[in-house]
Structure formats: C-alpha cells, structure tokens
Amino acid sequence: MKTKKLTLTAIFIAINVVLSSIIVIPLGPIKAAPMQHLINVLCAVFVGPWFGLAQAFISSILRMIFGTGSFFAFPGSMIGVLLASGFYYYRKHLFMAAVGEVIGTGIIGSIMCIPLAWVLGFSNLAIKPLMLAFIVSSVIGAIISYIILMILKRKGILKRYL
C-alpha cells in the first residue's frame, strides 16, 4: 500500500510542478497556483494527509527552485492539504475535501503568510489582496479537482483506488 501511495505522490508532485508553471496568479511576491490546490484535493482523497503533506512540501521546494513559486507556497499548500484530508476523512465526501482546501489555503494559509511576509521584509503586503488571491486560486483548483473526482467516481475508477 505504501508503494502505491509513494508512486501516486511522486506523480502528483510532477504534475503539480509542471502545471503550476502554466497558470499562476501573481500578487507582488506571491505566486498563487490553482494547480497546487487541485493536486492538494486529489492527494487528500488518494494518498491522505501525510503523503499529501510531503507532496505539498516537495512541490513548494521544486516550484521555488524553478521560479514558479515563492516562500508563501509553504504555509498555504501544507495547511490546505492537511485540512482537505481531515475534512475528507471525517465526512468521506469528495466535496468536503474541496471545502477543506479552500478554508485551509484560502483563509488559514493566507493569514499564516502575514508573519512570513513581515519576516521576509514585505511589511507593506496588504492582507485583503493576499487573502483574495489565495481564495481565488484555491477555489479554482478545488472546483477543477472536484469535477475530476466526480467524473472518476461516475466511471467507477475512483472506487478501485480507494
């Protein structure tokens, strides 16, 4: 079972890094990537919180190395995937994973970025635009992931992997 989760996590990391270079919502030093949120919801459902957390951490590092992400990717993506996993495992409903991602990244993650911004010298970073960028990005990714998961569920494919 761990080999399957490790393999899926590696695939999710690769997809995330590639797709996050295509669609980015820039806001000053922040580069919000809806594909990170899409992958977070998929990880919440397919691999759970700990492999999902590893995916978010490694993806954030790789995105920073390739210049498609920033330090702000860490709190948003990591809190998002943990909350998405928690919501999904608590209710066992795909929609709850998407809701957990939006709350985790869009609200809690954006608030956690404020102290990080101060430490990094971005003291003039406004909270409302930051939160708006994170919420918009996470909603886009969560909606797309929910649609993908519903298609997989209707086709019977999701059942084989869970």
Side-chain angles (χ1 to χ4, degrees):
M1 188 62 154
K2 279 192 177 185
T3 304
K4 182 177 170 181
K5 287 186 176 186
L6 279 170
T7 304
L8 281 172
T9 302
I11 291 168
F12 286 140
I13 291 168
I15 293 169
N16 186 5
V17 172
V18 170
L19 291 180
S20 291
S21 66
I22 298 170
I23 302 171
V24 178
I25 300 171
L27 178 67
I30 295 165
K31 298 175 182 175
M35 294 305 118
Q36 173 69 59
H37 313 297
L38 180 150
I39 296 297
N40 279 356
V41 175
L42 295 178
C43 279
V45 173
F46 285 104
V47 298
W50 307 119
F51 285 95
L53 186 62
Q55 172 277 135
F57 182 74
I58 294 167
S59 293
S60 295
I61 289 173
L62 291 172
R63 287 180 49 220
M64 279 184 48
I65 290 170
F66 293 128
T68 60
S70 69
F71 281 107
F72 300 102
F74 289 97
S77 64
M78 294 171 75
I79 294 168
V81 76
L82 285 176
L83 226 60
S85 296
F87 278 32
Y88 176 71
Y89 283 103
Y90 175 69
R91 297 294 300 199
K92 290 292 185 194
H93 195 280
L94 300 174
F95 182 72
M96 292 308 293
V99 169
E101 173 62 25
V102 173
I103 292 171
T105 299
I107 298 170
I108 299 170
S110 62
I111 291 169
M112 296 299 293
C113 284
I114 299 304
L116 181 61
W118 293 336
V119 169
L120 295 174
F122 299 107
S123 58
N124 62 346
L125 191 64
I127 295 172
K128 287 183 183 178
L130 170 77
M131 190 177 279
L132 182 62
F134 273 52
I135 289 172
V136 168
S137 179
S138 61
V139 166
I140 292 169
I143 289 171
I144 296 169
S145 64
Y146 180 69
I147 291 168
I148 291 169
L149 288 168
M150 290 307 294
I151 291 169
L152 292 175
K153 184 177 180 180
R154 284 196 182 116
K155 300 264 185 196
I157 297 168
L158 190 61
K159 188 174 17 176
R160 287 187 283 186
Y161 286 94
L162 301 181

